[in-house]
Amino acid sequence: MPGMERSGDACDSYHRYREDMQLLADAGLNAYRFGIEWARIEPVPGVISRAELAHYRRMIETALDLGLIPVLTLHHFTSPLWFAQEGGWLGDRAVERFRAYAEAVSPILDGVEWVVTMNEPNMLAIMIGMARALQDDPHAADPWLSPTVDDEGPRPKTPAPDVKIGERLVEAHHAAREVLRERTGAKVGWTVANRAFVARPGAEEKMRELEYIWEDLYLEGSRGDDFVGVQSYSSQWVGPDGVEPHPQHPDNTLVGTAYRPDALSIAVRHTVEVTGGMPILVTENGIATGDDTRRIAYTGEALEHLEAAIADGADVRGYLHWSLLDNYEWGHWAPTFGLVEVDRETFERRPKPSLAWLGETARRAGN
C-alpha cells in the first residue's frame, strides 16, 4: 500500500528467538508472547509444513527451558496469500480453513498454557474493510497509515470496524476454540484492542453505540473463553458527533495518541463489565516514545492503575508489555515501543534501562 516502508528482515526474531527470550529471562521476566505464522505452516491449502511446525515447537521448548511462559497467538493480522485469494475472512470456506489450521497446529502445543486465536479482531475487521474498499475503487485509496495512528492532519478518519466482518471473525474464533479445547490443555481466548472511550457530558449514548462497534461485539464474542486479552495504549473522548481526535500536544506519543496511562484501568474495567468478570490477561500495554524515561514513567503509572482495578475486583492473571523490541509497526519503523533497541543492519539487541526496570518491578510484585 502507498506510504508503507519495507519490513525487510524486520528484527529477524524468527532466527534470533533464543537471544530475545534470554533477554527476558535475564531481566527477571517470566513470559514471552509470540505468534505462529499461518502462511509458513500451510503454504498451500491443505499442505502442512512439518519443518515449520518443528520450528515453532523449538520456540516453545526454548521458552519453557528458560523458565518463560509461552503465550502463543495463532493469527496476528497476516494470512496466507492463497487464503486472501479465496476471499479471505469473507470467503465461503474461511471458518473451515481457520479450524483446519488450528487442528494442524494443536499437536505442537503441549505444555502451552495460553493460546490466543486472533490478535485484535476489531482492528483486523478495519483492515479487511479497507482492503475491500481498495478493491472496489483503487483510485480512492488514501496513503496507508496505521489505524493505531491518531487522526491528526488532513486525512479521513480511520473507518470503524464493520459489524458483519466482526461477526464472521467471532464465528471463526469459536471454531478454533472448539478444536483447541478438544486437542490441548491450553487456556483459549482472543485479544481486543481497547479504545478506553470516555464520554463527554451528554454523549453517553453515542459512546455506548461506538463501544459495541469497536469493542463489545468482540468482548461478547469472548464469552465462554478461558480468558480475554486486554490491549491498551491510550484513551479517547467521545462527543455527541463521535470519537474526538487527540488534539496536538507536546506530550502525545510517536503515533499521535495522548499520554494516558490510566487507559489500562479504563479498558480493564470496561472488559469486566461487558464479560461479566472473565479472567483477563493484559496482552499489550506500552507507549511509542524515543524517551525511555518516559516509557518507565508511563508503564509505572499504568501498573498502578491496573493494581487499582484488581483491588476493585478485576480478575487479572498477568501483564505483557508491548513490546520487547523496537520493531516494524504497522508499516513503519519510526514508532518505537521496545524495551530493547535493535540495529537494523546488524540486528544487535541493545537493552534499554526500561527492560531492567520492568524486570525489577516484576520481581518486587512477585515477592
Side-chain angles (χ1 to χ4, degrees), residues 236-293:
Q236 283 192 285
W237 288 100
V238 176
D241 298 324
V243 180
E244 298 178 3
H246 296 294
Q248 295 193 29
H249 191 279
D251 282 345
N252 284 1
T253 72
L254 291 176
V255 290
T257 53
Y259 181 91
R260 290 291 301 270
D262 62 324
L264 182 55
S265 174
I266 296 169
V268 165
R269 291 171 192 273
H270 181 69
T271 299
V272 169
E273 179 186 346
V274 176
T275 64
M278 274 181 59
I280 288 169
L281 193 62
V282 176
T283 37
E284 290 183 22
N285 174 246
I287 180 173
T289 179
D291 181 351
D292 201 51
T293 59

Side-chain angles (χ1 to χ4, degrees), residues 40-72:
R40 291 182 185 272
I41 298 293
E42 192 174 9
V44 294
V47 177
I48 304 302
S49 169
R50 293 182 181 87
E52 289 298 337
L53 287 176
H55 171 86
Y56 289 111
R57 181 61 203 173
R58 285 194 296 273
M59 290 188 70
I60 292 166
E61 290 175 354
T62 300
L64 295 172
D65 289 347
L66 292 172
L68 299 173
I69 299 164
V71 180
L72 262 64

Side-chain angles (χ1 to χ4, degrees), residues 92-364:
D92 293 340
R93 301 186 67 183
V95 174
E96 170 196 342
R97 292 295 199 191
F98 194 57
R99 179 195 294 272
Y101 166 52
E103 288 174 351
V105 168
S106 60
I108 69 168
L109 299 180
D110 185 46
V112 175
E113 185 179 357
W114 304 91
V115 175
V116 173
T117 60
M118 289 184 203
N119 180 75
E120 296 185 341
N122 46 343
M123 302 306 286
L124 179 59
I126 291 173
M127 290 188 284
I128 295 168
M130 292 169 76
R132 287 175 73 195
L134 185 62
Q135 275 185 324
D136 293 341
D137 185 1
H139 302 293
D142 291 290
W144 167 260
L145 197 59
S146 156
T148 61
V149 174
D150 190 55
D151 297 302
E152 294 180 2
R155 76 179 185 96
K157 290 185 178 181
T158 300
D162 184 302
V163 169
K164 292 295 183 187
I165 297 172
E167 289 170 348
R168 171 60 66 87
L169 296 177
V170 169
E171 185 184 355
H173 165 60
H174 289 170
R177 180 182 71 187
E178 181 182 8
V179 166
L180 294 165
R181 282 196 168 151
E182 286 174 358
R183 299 179 178 222
T184 78
K187 298 180 179 69
V188 184
W190 68 356
T191 70
V192 176
N194 299 98
R195 306 290 290 197
F197 288 134
V198 180
R200 297 289 189 191
E204 290 80 8
E205 187 174 338
K206 186 65 176 177
M207 182 179 77
R208 283 191 291 272
E209 173 192 324
L210 291 172
E211 280 177 333
Y212 180 77
I213 295 168
W214 278 98
E215 291 183 31
D216 295 0
L217 168 63
Y218 306 90
L219 293 174
E220 290 172 5
S222 73
R223 287 181 181 152
D225 291 359
D226 300 300
F227 71 96
V228 60
V230 165
Q231 309 205 155
S232 170
Y233 295 90
S234 187
S235 175
Q236 283 192 285
W237 288 100
V238 176
D241 298 324
V243 180
E244 298 178 3
H246 296 294
Q248 295 193 29
H249 191 279
D251 282 345
N252 284 1
T253 72
L254 291 176
V255 290
T257 53
Y259 181 91
R260 290 291 301 270
D262 62 324
L264 182 55
S265 174
I266 296 169
V268 165
R269 291 171 192 273
H270 181 69
T271 299
V272 169
E273 179 186 346
V274 176
T275 64
M278 274 181 59
I280 288 169
L281 193 62
V282 176
T283 37
E284 290 183 22
N285 174 246
I287 180 173
T289 179
D291 181 351
D292 201 51
T293 59
R294 204 154 174 256
R295 177 171 292 103
I296 291 170
Y298 171 93
T299 309
E301 291 178 57
L303 290 171
E304 289 174 6
H305 288 290
L306 180 62
E307 287 173 5
I310 293 169
D312 288 340
D315 182 6
V316 178
R317 303 295 177 90
Y319 171 92
L320 294 160
H321 189 80
W322 186 272
S323 60
L324 174 62
L325 306 178
D326 286 341
N327 59 2
Y328 181 71
E329 288 275 348
W330 289 94
H332 300 278
W333 283 101
T336 47
F337 286 86
L339 302 168
V340 176
E341 181 184 356
V342 179
D343 185 308
R344 285 170 52 200
E345 295 296 323
T346 66
F347 303 111
E348 179 190 358
R349 274 65 168 146
R350 302 180 188 124
K352 304 174 188 178
S354 54
L355 177 63
W357 172 85
L358 188 59
E360 181 56 34
T361 300
R363 276 193 292 268
R364 284 200 307 271

